[in-house]
Amino acid sequence: MIKKLAVLSIIGLLFSNCTNTKIKKYEGIYTFGHEIRIFQDKDSEINYWLYSDDEKVEILNNYMKDLVEKEEGNYSEVELEIEGIDEGKATNGFAESNDKKMKVIKYKIIKKKRYSLFFFIIKFLSLIYLLFLYNE
């Protein structure tokens, strides 16, 4: 009886460390820029660091890099639909304590996030205000 309990306990411990392999659909915003490449799920608001076994994420990042260059900005955002696997806590790069990593199986760009003229005016005024404060 004790041997059976020991074997079951060991098997339980082994399976408790397995990662999730269930493919799930996610929708959210992918932000790309200097030192940031993060996907935020719109339902859970969890931030994910994306990777893939093939070149999917690299192709996405090249697309995002081109957007940044075309817009002459520092960051670019797109809305994505992703089929992926939540692989738990992210420990790479500049991951925050609650960030997770996701293996991307398939993605689809829904739309490029566009900013209004009002957004840029507010950003510009904020910059001027900060410069004013800095020079005092």
Side-chain angles (χ1 to χ4, degrees):
M1 181 68 172
I2 294 175
K3 283 185 180 182
K4 287 182 183 180
L5 287 174
V7 169
L8 288 175
S9 296
I10 291 171
I11 291 173
L13 285 172
L14 290 174
F15 283 109
S16 69
N17 290 328
C18 292
T19 59
N20 181 11
T21 57
K22 184 177 179 186
I23 297 174
K24 185 177 164 190
K25 287 189 178 188
Y26 300 85
E27 189 174 317
I29 301 294
Y30 184 59
T31 304
F32 179 93
H34 180 67
E35 295 184 0
I36 186 168
R37 288 160 181 77
I38 200 94
F39 173 77
Q40 184 176 45
D41 180 45
K42 76 173 187 177
D43 293 332
S44 66
E45 296 185 357
I46 293 174
N47 291 325
Y48 289 95
W49 292 68
L50 304 180
Y51 83 96
S52 61
D53 288 339
D54 53 16
E55 297 169 350
K56 283 181 192 74
V57 174
E58 185 179 341
I59 292 168
L60 174 61
N61 286 338
N62 288 336
Y63 171 79
M64 298 297 289
K65 184 177 176 184
D66 290 343
L67 281 181
V68 169
E69 290 171 1
K70 285 179 191 173
E71 295 171 355
E72 297 180 356
N74 294 323
Y75 299 96
S76 190
E77 292 183 334
V78 293
E79 190 173 341
L80 294 179
E81 282 180 358
I82 294 177
E83 287 184 32
I85 301 170
D86 179 339
E87 293 194 340
K89 184 172 172 37
T91 56
N92 56 324
F94 297 103
E96 295 289 325
S97 61
N98 55 345
D99 288 353
K100 292 186 165 191
K101 67 179 179 176
M102 181 188 305
K103 180 178 180 179
V104 176
I105 306 301
K106 186 165 50 169
Y107 73 89
K108 176 181 163 186
I109 296 172
I110 300 172
K111 64 182 174 182
K112 185 172 82 167
K113 192 162 181 151
R114 296 194 183 269
Y115 296 105
S116 67
L117 180 59
F118 178 74
F119 172 81
F120 288 110
I121 290 170
I122 296 297
K123 283 286 217 182
F124 179 71
L125 291 174
S126 299
L127 180 62
I128 289 174
Y129 178 71
L130 289 173
L131 289 172
F132 176 76
L133 287 177
Y134 179 75
N135 288 327
E136 284 187 350

